[in-house]
Amino acid sequence: MHQKNIVAAGKPVTATSKVLVMLHGRGGSAEDILGFATHLHVKEFSLLAPEATNNTWYPYSFLVPPSQNEPWLSSALKLIEELVDDVLAKGVPLENIYFCGFSQGACLALEFVARNAKRYGGVAAFTGGLIGDKIYSENYKGDFEGTPIFIGTSNPDPHVPVARVNATTITLRNMNAAVTEKVYNNMGHTINEDEIERSNKLVFKA
């Protein structure tokens, strides 16, 4: 299962910190996603990037029945839960904890916050959606209390159907998240400048 291998950057975590949890994509690494932080307005943040065993959070597509991605999916979600608990134990309030992920990491970030909906600082999900062969609404409880969430994706994307992004947005809005969804025609499986600008404005409040 996933080991607790957390790579830190930015400011040290203290009770007054803003903390960004960064989740890399399939085949990526903690260092990769931390490098992306230079594009975000998080210069004063503490950055924490867990690294997946063998650089993959779960083995198959996020669109298969969740049982097929077990026990890796549960292990990944548990790792994030432990990381958040560690940050809370240092006195950081939930509203100062943020999440960012790309591709598989975006799916994982969205799945974690939906299963643990509270007032977070914000979420920036670049090409991702809730995990499963369908939306399992019974897994998602809580109230985001207006947490800002940005989701950007391409139409088409080879891994993430726009329909799943749309369904994810509806689910999160029904849980009182302030979701901004943006679909870019033929962007490819990447992150563009507009997504960065929007996430900085909406989530990181630049």
Side-chain angles (χ1 to χ4, degrees):
M1 294 303 92
H2 295 294
Q3 303 300 309
K4 197 172 181 181
N5 180 17
I6 313 296
V7 182
K11 305 281 187 179
V13 179
T14 68
T16 59
S17 297
K18 287 187 174 182
V19 177
L20 175 59
V21 177
M22 306 191 75
L23 301 172
H24 66 76
R26 187 188 299 272
S29 68
E31 294 289 353
D32 290 340
I33 196 73
L34 285 171
F36 175 67
T38 59
H39 298 281
L40 304 176
H41 288 258
V42 293
K43 188 183 295 184
E44 299 303 315
F45 282 53
S46 304
L47 308 177
L48 300 174
E51 186 159 279
T53 299
N54 299 321
N55 306 101
T56 299
W57 292 112
Y58 42 85
Y60 302 113
S61 164
F62 83 112
L63 297 171
V64 304
S67 60
Q68 294 184 26
N69 274 318
E70 294 295 359
W72 293 99
L73 175 57
S74 289
S75 177
L77 292 167
K78 182 66 175 175
L79 176 62
I80 300 170
E81 180 183 20
E82 291 178 0
L83 176 55
V84 170
D85 286 345
D86 290 346
V87 172
L88 292 173
K90 293 188 176 182
V92 179
L94 271 173
E95 57 265 30
N96 281 347
I97 300 177
Y98 298 71
F99 298 86
C100 170
F102 170 65
S103 191
Q104 195 184 53
C107 296
L108 190 60
L110 291 168
E111 187 72 14
F112 176 80
V113 297
R115 291 188 183 210
N116 303 275
K118 298 178 177 70
R119 181 55 166 95
Y120 299 107
V123 182
F126 302 102
T127 313
L130 292 173
I131 294 172
D133 53 315
K134 63 177 185 176
I135 298 288
Y136 288 88
S137 300
E138 64 271 20
N139 288 339
Y140 308 132
K141 297 179 176 65
D143 188 332
F144 280 110
E145 300 178 35
T147 297
I149 299 178
F150 174 77
I151 308 176
T153 197
S154 176
N155 182 27
D157 181 87
H159 306 291
V160 181
V162 172
R164 176 53 58 88
V165 175
N166 297 158
T168 297
T169 293
I170 291 168
T171 301
L172 300 177
R173 283 178 177 162
N174 287 340
M175 300 170 74
N176 293 323
V179 185
T180 299
E181 175 192 301
K182 180 67 175 175
V183 179
Y184 303 86
N185 288 327
N186 300 306
M187 175 176 71
H189 197 66
T190 187
I191 302 171
N192 71 23
E193 285 295 328
D194 188 70
E195 288 182 289
I196 292 169
E197 289 177 16
R198 286 173 184 266
S199 61
N200 278 330
K201 180 179 178 181
L202 297 165
V203 177
F204 304 112
K205 309 298 185 188

